[in-house]
Structures are given as C-alpha cells and as structure tokens.
C-alpha cells in the first residue's frame, strides 16, 4: 500500500504516534479542524509539584492557638507568624496565612478567584483511623512512596496501577467535545504522564522553550527523501509500516500544531524566564489557537519538580515557591488578556503532603496535603475541606504529623469533571472510586467550588 504523508493528513491516519508524542495513542485528524469553534471552551491545567511539596508550610494557621500548635509540631520548620500573608475569612474558626512567597495566590484568594483544598489525598474508600489500624479498609498502594503516590494522584485509582488517568478519562467521556485534532485535547508541557492517558484519547507533548519539536533529521533533504521512499515501499514489512505510520503521524501532528501556533496571540502579559513561567506562557499561547485546533475541551499538564525537601525545607521553599507563585499569577493575567479567565481552571497536585515534624533538617514523606486551585470559575475567598488540628493526638495523625486525608482526591476531581461538562452518568467512568465516597462525609464539601 502506498503511503503518502499528505494523504494521511487528508484521510486521518488511524495510527499511533511515538516520536514527539507523549504516549502511543490513536491519531486522527477528523475533517475540518476549527469546524467546532470553541464558543463553549473549558480547560484545566494540572500542575504537578513533583517530589512531595510541603504544603503545610504553604498554608499555615494564623489564629493564636492554632499557630502555637503549628509552631510546636514544626519546630525548626515553622515559619514566622509575622511573615505569613493573611487570607481573608476563616475555616472552622481558624484564620490562615500563606507562605510569604505566595503573594499572587494571596491576591487571587482574597479576590475570590483562588482557594486551597485542605488535607486532601488519595483514598480508595471512606477511611477512619480505627479502620486503618484494624486493617479493615482498602488503602492506596505504596503509601508514602513517590512512584506510587504520584501515580495515585494522576489516576485516582490508588488501589491499582491503572493505565489511564483522570484527564484522559475525562476527555474519553466527552467524545463529541473536540472535532479537530484528537491529540490537541490533551497537551503536555512535560512529556509522558499518566494524568492524560486515556483509553481513546492520547496526549501531545510540546516543549515550553521550543514549541513543537521536529523529528530529528527530517529537515534534511536526503533524510526526508529516504524516509518518504521507506514509507512508500509496497514490499516493506508490517512492523516497518507500523513504525513508519507512527513517525509519519508525529510529523503530521507537528505540522498541524506548528501551523496553528503561527496564529497564536502575541501576549502582552510579561512572563519571567523561569521554565515554569515559560511553560505556562506556552499553554496560554496554545489556548489562544483552540479554534484552529478544533477543540472545546482541553487538559494541560506541566511538572515543576524538586520538592522532595528532606533537607533545608525552609531555604528550598524560599527559593522555589516564588517561581511557582509567579508562574501561576502570570498565567492568570494572560488568561484575562485572552478573555479566558472564566474558562480555565488551574490546580496543583503533588506526590503527598509531608510530615509535620522535622527530621532535624527537613520533612519526610506524608499523606494528606493542600491543593491550590485558581481561576475565574473558582468560588474562592474561602478554604475547602477540613484542615487538621496540628496536635500530636489528632486521630488523623498516623505518625509524625502524617495526616490521613479528610478529603479524597476523587472529590476534587468530581467537581472538576462536572465543571468540564462530564455527564453525571459518565462520572463513574472518569472516577471509578467516586461511588465509594459520594454521599459520605469524606466525599462532601467541594460541591459548588467551581461554577459557571
């Protein structure tokens, strides 16, 4: 069979992409990209703080008694109360503040455009301390393990190591949402990830610095002629043909993305040179060409790593949090410039929270932590979840200030899925464990966090 890259573009190749793609997935170009212009556009941006961010030093109680408890448990890891950036309002009678580096988040929170979900983490089913101690409850695989918990957060299936993630399944549940380039529904700024892996939808990897990366050597005329002959060889083996189709699909998808990005809005919003800000800028540019790509629902994934602070927690957070806060804040300003602030919700995930107690130099692997959520649809200015009292005899404390989550990740993802437009009858396909929590105390409390 003759294979021609232009004909593949026209027909829509039902092949898979490996080079330049974030996963091996079906690739299809379904007719006219842009045919379904995004009047009803919504997107989520998942920011993975890889390594396990110490979020109990991002959100800190300020009320006198609660701060004293925090200071006692954290000892040398405690921030000064005077340095905390005050948040308006209170949760359960306790006022809170943010790490002094998080001024953009503070501004957005107090403007009602950001929030934090407190003590959230992976659970399989409603879990109490008693059930935990008796072993009468299913627990996430590999608690306190980086590899397992980072997977649990991305898949929301912590009892098994599923091959699909929340973002991928979310788009699987809305097959009519995107009529253009299928891979444009899930775009990663950080390569392969589990969050965007779906059964029917895949993801496309874009570089923050370079945009769409070309197949190495394809710009060379000699290489390109040899490669085209390779594809057109009618006697080639099935294996070589499949490989060739994958490479061709990668090239074709890159052509579509490059063509679309040529029309990207030139943002006037200033972004810093930090790679996280560069990634957020690239996401904003990609959102500006959503109509060219023919998408109305998108997920974006970006990793900001290096949060495993077993040593020098205070110093390393002081170095890293400003870049996180700046990138999030600049991105939100860019969304306002694009008129998309109501259409995009950004949230953070991390491997796990960390121990309240110090190891003498830093904090160690924990369980529940605090997730940040920002966007025009966020009913902010208030905290969600249940912030644990930071005392040694808290029944949620399973040791050294590792808190059993009071809110499962499923609750946050359920709210995000509803906002994105997943039908109620499809929610179980996105979140297989949600039925375990719906109607339970641990599953309640986040309904209405996102509106519009």
């Amino acid at each position: 069979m003759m294979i021609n890259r232009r004909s593949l573009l026209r027909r829509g190749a039902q092949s898979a992409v490996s080079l330049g793609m974030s996963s091996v997935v079906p690739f299809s170009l379904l007719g006219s990209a842009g045919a379904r212009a995004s009047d009803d556009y919504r997107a989520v941006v998942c920011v993975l703080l890889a390594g396990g961010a110490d979020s109990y030093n991002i959100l800190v109680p300020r009320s006198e008694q609660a701060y004293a408890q925090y200071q006692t448990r954290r000892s040398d890891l405690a921030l000064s109360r005077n340095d905390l950036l005050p948040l308006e309002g209170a949760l359960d009678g306790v006022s809170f503040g943010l790490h002094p580096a998080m001024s953009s988040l503070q501004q957005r929170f107090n403007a009602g455009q950001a929030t934090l979900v407190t003590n959230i983490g992976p659970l399989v089913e409603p879990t109490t301390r008693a059930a935990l101690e008796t072993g009468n409850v299913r627990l996430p695989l590999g608690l306190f393990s980086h590899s397992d918990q980072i997977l649990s957060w991305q898949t929301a299936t912590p009892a098994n190591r599923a091959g699909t993630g929340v973002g991928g399944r979310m788009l699987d549940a809305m097959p009519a949402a995107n009529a253009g380039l299928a891979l444009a529904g899930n775009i990663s700024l950080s390569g392969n990830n589990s969050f965007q892996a779906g059964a029917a939808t895949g993801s496309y990897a874009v570089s923050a610095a370079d945009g769409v990366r070309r197949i190495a050597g394809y710009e060379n005329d000699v290489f390109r002629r040899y490669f085209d002959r390779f594809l057109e060889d009618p006697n080639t083996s099935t294996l070589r043909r499949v490989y060739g189709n994958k490479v061709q699909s990668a090239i074709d998808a890159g052509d579509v993305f490059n063509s679309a990005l040529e029309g990207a809005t030139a943002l006037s919003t200033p972004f810093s040179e930090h790679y996280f800000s560069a990634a957020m800028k690239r996401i904003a540019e990609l959102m500006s060409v959503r109509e060219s790509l023919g998408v109305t629902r998108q997920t974006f994934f970006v990793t900001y790593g290096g949060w495993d602070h077993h040593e020098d927690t205070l110093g390393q957070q002081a170095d890293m949090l400003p870049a996180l806060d700046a990138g999030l804040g600049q991105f939100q300003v860019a969304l306002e410039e694009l008129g998309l602030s109501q259409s995009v919700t950004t949230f953070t995930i991390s491997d796990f929270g960390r121990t309240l107690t110090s190891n003498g130099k830093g904090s160690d692997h924990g369980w529940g932590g605090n997730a940040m959520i920002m966007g025009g649809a966020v009913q902010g200015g208030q905290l969600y979840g249940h912030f644990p009292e930071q005392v040694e005899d808290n029944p949620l404390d399973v040791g050294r200030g590792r808190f059993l989550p009071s809110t499962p990740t499923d609750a946050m993802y359920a709210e995000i899925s509803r906002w994105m437009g997943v039908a109620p009858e499809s929610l179980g396909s996105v979140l297989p464990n949600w039925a375990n929590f719906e109607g339970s105390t641990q599953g309640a409390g986040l309904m209405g966090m996102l509106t519009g």
Side-chain angles (χ1 to χ4, degrees):
M1 179 176 68
M2 298 294 288
I3 302 173
N4 178 280
R5 61 187 297 261
R6 297 301 173 193
S7 65
L8 283 173
L9 269 171
R10 288 194 299 271
R11 293 197 320 243
Q14 299 298 319
S15 59
V17 180
S18 60
L19 299 180
M21 299 292 151
S22 64
S23 56
V24 178
V25 293
F27 167 61
S28 61
L29 298 174
L30 303 180
S32 56
R36 290 173 55 91
S38 50
D39 294 329
D40 179 33
Y41 179 73
R42 292 195 178 184
V44 293
V45 181
C46 176
V47 179
L48 169 61
L49 306 180
D54 194 332
S55 54
Y56 284 111
N57 261 14
I58 296 176
L59 179 67
V60 179
R62 291 181 62 246
S63 294
E64 186 171 349
Q65 180 179 354
Y67 178 79
Q69 294 167 344
Y70 157 85
Q71 189 178 39
T72 299
R73 296 302 309 278
R74 302 241 67 177
S75 60
D76 62 323
L77 302 181
L79 297 169
S80 167
R81 185 182 177 196
N82 293 333
D83 291 339
L84 299 176
L85 303 177
L87 297 180
E88 296 178 358
L91 179 66
D92 299 328
V94 176
S95 61
F96 288 84
L98 295 175
H99 188 284
M102 304 299 288
S103 58
S104 292
L105 181 62
Q106 180 209 26
Q107 179 186 4
R108 295 290 175 177
F109 182 97
N110 289 339
Q113 298 170 350
T115 187
L116 294 94
V117 180
T118 64
N119 194 29
I120 184 173
L123 293 171
V124 180
E125 56 190 344
T127 303
T128 64
R129 174 69 176 272
L132 182 70
E133 292 179 341
T134 60
N136 193 29
V137 67
R138 290 177 295 166
L139 295 174
L141 296 174
L143 276 176
F144 317 129
S145 149
H146 284 292
S147 58
D148 285 301
Q149 295 311 296
I150 207 168
L151 189 62
S152 291
W153 262 99
Q154 294 181 68
T155 63
T157 54
N160 58 73
R161 297 179 174 91
T164 59
V166 176
R169 295 195 299 266
M170 198 163 18
L171 289 198
D172 283 349
M174 299 182 289
N178 297 330
L181 178 63
L183 289 171
N186 292 314
I187 300 178
S188 172
L189 276 292
S190 300
N192 286 320
N193 67 87
S194 296
F195 177 78
Q196 294 177 311
T201 58
S203 62
Y204 189 80
V206 172
S207 165
D210 304 323
V212 178
R213 285 178 171 161
R214 299 283 188 180
I215 300 293
Y218 195 72
E219 300 302 318
N220 180 281
D221 289 342
V222 175
F223 177 90
R224 189 163 55 250
R225 283 199 299 273
Y226 175 81
F227 181 74
D228 287 344
R229 284 202 298 271
F230 166 79
L231 287 180
E232 295 166 0
D233 182 358
N235 300 314
T236 193
S237 68
T238 300
L239 181 61
R240 291 178 68 186
R241 183 176 297 117
V242 169
Y243 173 75
N245 285 349
K246 291 180 178 179
V247 175
Q248 187 63 69
S249 295
I251 294 168
D252 292 341
D255 286 347
V256 173
F257 274 99
N258 272 321
S259 176
L261 281 171
E262 287 176 0
T265 299
L267 295 165
S268 61
T269 301
F271 282 82
S272 78
E273 296 182 355
H274 191 276
Y275 82 88
F276 177 66
S277 281
M280 300 305 283
K281 180 181 182 181
R282 184 68 70 184
I283 291 172
E285 291 172 344
L286 286 160
M287 288 177 173
S288 78
V289 297
R290 62 197 179 282
E291 295 187 3
S292 297
L293 294 173
V295 292
T296 64
R297 294 292 184 274
Q298 283 187 296
T299 79
F300 293 85
F301 182 89
V302 57
T303 298
Y304 180 12
W307 299 91
D308 193 18
H309 298 159
H310 291 282
E311 298 182 0
D312 189 24
T313 298
L314 293 180
Q316 294 196 71
Q317 283 201 319
D319 286 341
M320 295 177 64
L321 283 173
L324 173 65
D325 186 70
L328 292 174
Q330 292 155 2
F331 180 62
Q332 202 59 36
V333 174
L335 291 179
E336 290 165 354
E337 179 183 346
L338 293 171
L340 292 175
S341 60
Q342 297 290 327
S343 304
V344 179
T345 297
T346 304
F347 61 94
T348 65
I349 65 174
S350 194
D351 313 22
F352 34 63
R354 302 189 74 87
T355 59
L356 278 184
T357 62
S358 172
N359 60 21
K361 297 180 180 178
S363 58
D364 299 318
H365 303 177
W367 193 351
N370 306 309
M372 293 166 263
I373 305 179
M374 182 180 288
V378 177
Q379 298 305 291
Q382 58 184 319
L383 298 171
Y384 291 84
H386 303 279
F387 193 87
E389 190 178 16
Q390 296 180 330
V391 293
E392 198 165 359
D393 59 353
N394 187 325
L396 295 178
D397 189 341
V398 298
R400 292 193 56 206
R402 294 183 175 97
F403 287 112
L404 192 164
S406 45
T407 297
T409 56
D410 297 70
M412 184 177 80
Y413 288 138
E415 184 66 4
I416 290 171
S417 298
R418 289 190 195 99
W419 178 75
M420 283 284 279
V422 173
E425 61 270 22
S426 300
L427 198 54
S429 69
V430 179
L431 301 169
N433 291 333
W434 175 237
N436 299 337
F437 297 102
E438 193 168 19
S440 73
T441 301
Q442 283 180 311
L446 303 191
M447 181 76 79
M449 183 176 67
L450 299 175
T451 61

